[in-house]
Amino acid sequence: MRLKEDHNAVFFSRTIHKKFVFDVAGYDNPVIKASSNKKLGKKVTNGRLKGAPIYTLTLEERKTCSRDCEHWLDCYGNNMGFAHRFKAGADLEVRIIREISALAKKHPDGFLVRLHVLGDFYSVPYVNMWAELLERYPALNIYGYTRHNPDNHTDKSRAIGRAVAQTHEKYKLRFMVRMSNQPEDLFSANGEDLISEADAITCLSQNKDKEKRKTCAECGLCWAFTKKPIRFLTH
């Protein structure tokens, strides 16, 4: 679903599904959820993290995102009416810290968190919180994508992008967050309109041949160092 430029959600930087934005103070279930996504998979079945269970965190699209995002109008969150999104802020961070601590005890051999199914890193302190959790809990592994790039239009977004890049540099394979739409960067994830099939690895879960499709858990390339950037077919 593509929104018009004068849509309230576009103007006010929020989701169209306001009833599914939750304050963690009144939320009794975990915010770091065990994956139930068919495309993602539930447990890593290949590579260095084989056997690691996969968890996800979902924030509010547009509210936490950069306006530089090419999918500001047609975010796939527009079509995810029942996804539980959590309000960004201190209460969320307290809950995340508590839940990651519990997961580290439950999975001492390692677990993988997908940041973020919807939304993005919303502040430098929030990025730093994840860095501190990586330092504290060696079992924690993170992967995902961000449109907060170091060359974005706003100071805030550029600062977040730099913080993400610095955290990746420090924690390498344990913080595999790829910059979106930076095709010159080998460690990036790009839309098909920005990079050719020959110059990238097309997402295996989007393989046009259904028999050759893999879940993220089966593939594992996005949380590995690759010789080419990752390429996604436009959603």
Side-chain angles (χ1 to χ4, degrees), residues 30-153:
V31 299
I32 307 290
K33 297 180 177 295
S35 173
S36 59
N37 186 296
K38 291 182 179 179
K39 174 182 174 292
L40 183 57
K42 297 181 179 181
K43 183 180 289 188
V44 180
T45 62
N46 186 35
R48 64 184 181 84
L49 291 177
K50 184 176 180 179
I54 301 174
Y55 290 84
T56 64
L57 176 63
T58 303
L59 303 183
E60 184 179 354
E61 68 273 25
R62 280 184 287 271
K63 189 76 170 180
T64 56
C65 301
S66 166
R67 280 186 175 267
D68 287 270
C69 181
E70 290 75 9
H71 294 288
W72 192 259
L73 300 180
D74 64 348
C75 174
Y76 62 83
N78 295 343
N79 301 316
M80 294 176 64
F82 298 106
H84 288 201
R85 302 137 166 96
F86 300 104
K87 291 182 180 179
D91 288 345
L92 173 65
E93 291 167 25
V94 169
R95 177 72 77 89
I96 288 171
I97 291 168
R98 186 167 74 233
E99 291 188 10
I100 291 295
S101 175
L103 289 172
K105 293 177 182 177
K106 183 178 181 180
H107 306 293
D109 293 330
F111 63 103
L112 180 63
V113 177
R114 162 72 162 97
L115 300 180
H116 305 86
V117 174
L118 297 174
D120 206 335
F121 296 92
Y122 54 82
S123 71
V124 171
Y126 175 67
V127 179
N128 292 341
M129 177 205 71
W130 284 108
E132 291 171 7
L133 289 171
L134 286 163
E135 185 70 25
R136 190 180 306 171
Y137 302 112
L140 171 62
N141 297 271
I142 294 167
Y143 96 100
Y145 318 91
T146 184
R147 190 57 182 84
H148 290 297
N149 297 336
D151 58 356
N152 276 3
H153 288 96

Side-chain angles (χ1 to χ4, degrees), residues 6 13 114 176 183 203 217 230:
D6 61 354
S13 303
R114 162 72 162 97
M176 300 294 278
C203 173
I230 301 298

Side-chain angles (χ1 to χ4, degrees), residues 181-186 188-202 228-233:
N181 293 351
Q182 299 277 288
E184 70 283 353
D185 183 357
L186 288 179
S188 64
N190 308 276
E192 62 181 323
D193 54 328
L194 291 181
I195 195 167
S196 71
E197 188 172 4
D199 292 329
I201 301 169
T202 300
K228 295 181 179 180
I230 301 298
R231 174 176 176 265
F232 289 105
L233 304 182

